[in-house]
């Protein structure tokens, strides 16, 4: 192996490993609400176009790295779309009014609160 190929292989592994915690958490929790849907969609579009260039190159570490990015960004897009679709289907829950705050002595009656429908 020559030096550029070794460097490409090492950096490919480092980049892929650095993305694994984010991807693992997203897959485990299914919570991608902190990610921008438009950003993830643009990343996927850019990856698709960039694939035309990468896959015209000879097989090497860049193919592995780009394939990893393609797959991980596609997974994030699917999770993001699924979460947005699920949120749109769920009815909006109204929260119960807060409980009274303050000291209450033992045996003292609490004033009744008006309940609004």
């Amino acid at each position: 192996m020559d030096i550029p190929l070794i460097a490409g292989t090492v950096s490919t592994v480092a980049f892929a490993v650095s993305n694994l915690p984010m991807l693992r958490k997203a897959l485990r929790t299914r919570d991608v609400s902190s990610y921008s849907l438009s950003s993830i969609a643009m990343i996927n579009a850019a990856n698709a176009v960039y694939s035309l260039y990468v896959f015209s190159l000879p097989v090497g570490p860049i193919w592995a790295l780009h394939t990893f990015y393609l797959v991980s960004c596609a997974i994030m897009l699917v999770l993001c779309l699924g979460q947005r679709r699920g949120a749109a289907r769920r009815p909006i829950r109204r929260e119960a009014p807060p409980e009274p705050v303050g000291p209450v002595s033992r045996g003292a009656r609490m004033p009744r609160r008006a309940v609004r429908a």
Side-chain angles (χ1 to χ4, degrees):
M1 284 187 150
D2 57 348
I3 298 297
L5 188 58
I6 293 170
T9 303
V10 170
S11 66
T12 294
V13 170
F15 281 122
V17 168
S18 71
N19 279 305
L20 286 177
M22 172 202 62
L23 194 57
R24 184 174 40 244
K25 182 179 178 186
L27 287 169
R28 185 174 37 93
T29 64
R30 303 277 193 233
D31 180 18
V32 290
S33 58
S34 63
Y35 296 97
S36 164
L37 177 60
S38 60
S39 175
I40 292 176
M42 286 191 63
I43 289 169
N44 277 278
N47 275 338
V49 173
Y50 191 58
S51 294
L52 298 173
Y53 168 68
V54 169
F55 296 128
S56 71
L57 298 172
V59 176
I62 189 68
W63 277 45
L65 180 61
H66 188 65
T67 302
F68 175 81
Y69 281 150
L70 281 172
V71 171
S72 62
C73 290
I75 289 170
M76 294 298 285
L77 181 62
V78 167
L79 289 175
C80 197
L81 288 173
Q83 185 172 7
R84 301 290 193 286
R85 195 174 314 132
R89 290 182 185 165
R90 278 184 241 127
I92 298 174
R93 279 185 15 195
R94 299 194 186 265
E95 292 187 24
E99 293 294 320
V101 178
V104 177
S105 63
R106 191 173 283 215
R109 293 189 62 195
M110 303 248 329
R112 291 187 58 112
R113 300 179 99 184
V115 178
R116 295 181 191 163

